[in-house]
Amino acid sequence: MTNSTGRRVTANLALTLDGRYNGPGGATDFRTFMPYVTTEVARNHLARIWENATTALLGRINAEGFLGYWPSVATDENADPRDRGYAKWLVDTEKVVLSTTLTEAPWERSRVVNAPAPDVVAELKATGEGDILVNSSASVIKALLSADLLDRLYLLVLPEILGGGQRLFDDGLPSSKWKLTHQEIGDLGEIAMVYDRVR
């Protein structure tokens, strides 16, 4: 695939030690994750993920969930500055929402695309500049891992084994090598890591 702009495709996700991005209760089971996502390390990580990004690529569920939360954080003067910075970026940046069911964009500066994630990424990489951040949308991340289109992974690994829930790394992915370019360990045992794809 030609990439004339040099745009990187990055992805952000929190995972347990056994690779789960949600709990055994299903897609909305994040009880285990909650104590870890507001730590100093997690907030530093949040500030890091968007610093070079100019496009947010989201699945429908995350787009709708984010809309219900982040715009209010962007205007909350009492919010952590790192949370506010991310929230303002998310509100103001270009958002591409992958969906087969939405007929109109869920919020400003967003557009809905009904197409496979690899095709959308190829289109985005053909123009513009800055990173394309797949923001906690596991279904999109999985599709891009399968197509070997991710250049950077921002992972927050939590020191818990859930034993149930959905896994990010399914069997059958193409083999790939990654270089650890940043790590930070939190007081609760969480580790924020940045991995770059070695090509």
Side-chain angles (χ1 to χ4, degrees), residues 12-30:
N12 169 54
L13 202 60
L15 298 173
T16 58
L17 281 178
D18 54 344
R20 318 282 180 172
Y21 56 87
N22 56 33
T28 59
D29 183 359
F30 296 112

Side-chain angles (χ1 to χ4, degrees), residues 60 97-103 112-115:
R60 176 189 60 82
V97 180
L98 298 178
S99 176
T100 58
T101 57
L102 286 179
T103 55
V112 176
V113 180
N114 181 357

Side-chain angles (χ1 to χ4, degrees), residues 162-186:
L162 289 183
Q166 294 173 285
R167 291 183 191 271
L168 177 62
F169 301 109
D170 294 326
D171 288 344
L173 288 174
S175 62
S176 57
K177 185 175 181 178
W178 299 78
K179 179 181 180 182
L180 181 66
T181 58
H182 181 86
Q183 67 177 339
E184 189 176 356
I185 302 171

